[in-house]
């Protein structure tokens, strides 16, 4: 990556390299594109006690004609409603497009959805179903494991040099979004919310364009992600874990039957690393 940055510094050309393909990593995390795919981004304010997820944004449709859908919240009750509406929106979309997925960038969205479902005690079954069926796709992991770039960071703003023009507008970062939202809380100026919504919409569009760009550079050796195949692999891993647990249990009992000093302590240490 440093070599790519040095070369870019010399001639100003953005560069990327495809990393070796590994099963289950990088480009192999990407499912086949589907017309029903959603591109998701959230905005949250950590300055409010307990934090507040105040905007859930989605882009649907092709990059040539994207449709933006936003769910807003300005207090805890509205946050619950916006979260429920967002999950219902995803579930309904996937009913219409069973092979579609929800794309996001980095772990914030998935972590926030899990936290909200527990905090508000709502839509837990629906979210569990989405997670179990691997419907949330983190493109950050695809990028980090699949591509080396000439940028100093792998944030989505840095990745945009490869697939979209430089951003315009007052709000360009998540930090600025929080500042503008705090200003809105004091001033109640609707224009400030419009600035944030425009920023969120561009983030969602950027996620769509990033997915499309990754498809154009996807190596031929990469296989499309399949939830069914992933589930089968998990079943194989589960069988392996069960066999290992059985061997450990048998060894534990054998050690306890020994009269040699220290064997009881040794038995207790058998699962030390797994528990850690």
């Amino acid at each position: 990556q440093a070599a790519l940055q040095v070369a870019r510094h010399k001639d100003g050309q953005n560069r990327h390299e495809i990393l070796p393909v590994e099963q289950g990593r990088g480009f192999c995390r990407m499912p086949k594109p589907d017309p029903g795919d959603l591109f998701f981004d959230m905005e949250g304010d950590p300055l409010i006690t307990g934090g507040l997820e105040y905007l859930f944004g989605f882009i649907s449709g092709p990059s040539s004609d994207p449709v933006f859908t936003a769910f807003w919240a300005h207090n805890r009750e509205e946050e619950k409603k916006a979260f429920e509406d967002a999950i219902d929106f995803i579930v309904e979309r996937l009913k219409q497009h069973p092979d579609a997925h929800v794309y996001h960038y980095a772990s914030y969205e998935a972590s926030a959805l899990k936290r909200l479902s527990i905090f508000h005690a709502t839509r837990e079954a629906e979210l569990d179903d989405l997670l179990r069926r691997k419907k949330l796709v983190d493109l950050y992991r695809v990028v980090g494991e699949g591509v080396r770039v000439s940028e100093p960071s792998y944030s989505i703003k840095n990745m945009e040099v490869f697939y979209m023009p430089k951003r315009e507008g007052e709000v360009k970062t998540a930090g600025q979004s929080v500042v503008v939202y705090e200003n809105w809380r004091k001033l109640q100026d609707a224009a400030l919310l419009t600035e944030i919504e425009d920023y969120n919409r561009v983030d969602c569009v950027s996620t769509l364009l990033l997915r499309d760009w990754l498809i154009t550079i996807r190596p031929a050796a990469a296989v499309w992600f399949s939830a069914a195949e992933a589930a089968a692999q998990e079943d194989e891993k589960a069988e392996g874990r069960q066999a290992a647990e059985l061997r450990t249990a048998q060894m534990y009992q054998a050690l306890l039957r020994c009269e040699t000093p220290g064997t009881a302590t040794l038995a207790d240490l058998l699962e030390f690393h797994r528990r850690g």
Side-chain angles (χ1 to χ4, degrees):
Q1 186 178 3
L4 294 178
Q5 291 181 41
V6 170
R8 180 178 180 271
H9 180 71
K10 290 180 178 178
D11 60 18
Q13 296 296 313
N14 298 311
R15 291 173 168 82
H16 70 272
E17 294 177 352
I18 305 300
L19 299 177
V21 174
E22 297 182 49
Q23 183 179 3
R25 290 171 56 83
F27 287 93
C28 294
R29 294 184 183 275
M30 295 183 67
K32 288 183 179 180
D34 186 272
D37 288 336
L38 291 171
F39 302 86
F40 176 40
D41 185 68
M42 291 174 60
E43 309 297 334
D45 188 345
L47 302 180
I48 296 174
T49 302
L52 180 73
E53 305 303 333
Y54 59 84
L55 177 56
F56 303 71
F58 297 88
I59 280 289
S60 56
S63 56
S64 59
D65 187 25
V67 177
F68 180 62
T69 304
F71 302 99
W72 279 93
H74 302 304
N75 56 51
R76 200 61 68 199
E77 291 74 20
E78 291 180 1
E79 179 188 64
K80 178 181 179 180
K81 179 64 164 56
F83 167 68
E84 291 175 336
D85 289 344
I87 293 296
D88 292 346
F89 178 75
I90 294 172
V91 170
E92 184 59 32
R93 181 76 173 183
L94 295 183
K95 283 182 180 178
Q96 299 173 11
H97 302 272
D99 295 327
H101 291 78
V102 182
Y103 293 82
H104 59 98
Y105 197 80
S107 60
Y108 184 87
E109 282 70 26
S111 298
L113 292 179
K114 294 173 188 176
R115 176 169 46 78
L116 290 171
S117 72
I118 295 171
F119 180 82
H120 292 295
T122 183
R123 299 301 187 272
E124 293 166 294
E126 290 83 354
L127 180 59
D128 179 69
D129 181 66
L130 294 174
L131 296 173
R132 182 171 47 79
R133 294 193 291 139
K134 310 291 185 184
K135 287 298 184 179
L136 300 183
V137 180
D138 184 357
L139 290 179
Y140 177 78
R141 302 186 72 180
V142 176
V143 169
E145 297 169 355
V147 189
R148 184 181 292 124
V149 299
S150 54
E151 287 293 296
S153 162
Y154 285 85
S155 76
I156 197 164
K157 277 72 174 180
N158 287 91
M159 295 303 299
E160 286 170 1
V161 300
F162 295 102
Y163 57 82
M164 65 183 280
K166 189 174 181 179
R167 291 188 182 221
E168 298 179 353
E170 295 297 323
V171 183
K172 295 184 176 67
T173 67
Q176 290 175 350
S177 171
V178 173
V179 171
V180 173
Y181 188 71
E182 283 292 312
N183 288 337
W184 174 82
R185 293 179 66 205
K186 297 173 184 176
L187 303 175
Q188 297 293 300
D189 182 353
L192 297 174
L193 295 184
T194 299
E195 291 179 13
I196 296 173
E197 188 166 295
D198 287 343
Y199 164 74
N200 182 265
R201 177 182 55 78
V202 174
D203 262 3
C204 294
V205 170
S206 178
T207 306
L208 164 59
L209 295 177
L210 171 60
R211 193 284 304 268
D212 291 351
W213 178 72
L214 289 171
I215 290 175
T216 67
I217 65 170
R218 178 176 172 271
V223 296
W224 293 111
F225 171 79
S226 166
E229 292 178 5
Q233 292 173 4
E234 285 298 319
D235 289 343
E236 291 180 7
K237 291 179 182 179
E239 292 177 3
R241 286 194 296 268
Q242 291 172 357
E245 289 170 0
L246 177 60
R247 290 194 299 270
T248 299
Q250 292 171 340
M251 189 177 297
Y252 180 84
Q253 294 299 326
L255 286 170
L256 291 182
R257 289 193 294 269
C258 292
E259 298 181 359
T260 306
T263 52
T265 300
L266 182 59
D268 288 337
L269 290 173
L270 285 175
E271 292 194 278
F272 174 81
H273 290 289
R274 187 180 69 84
R275 289 197 298 268

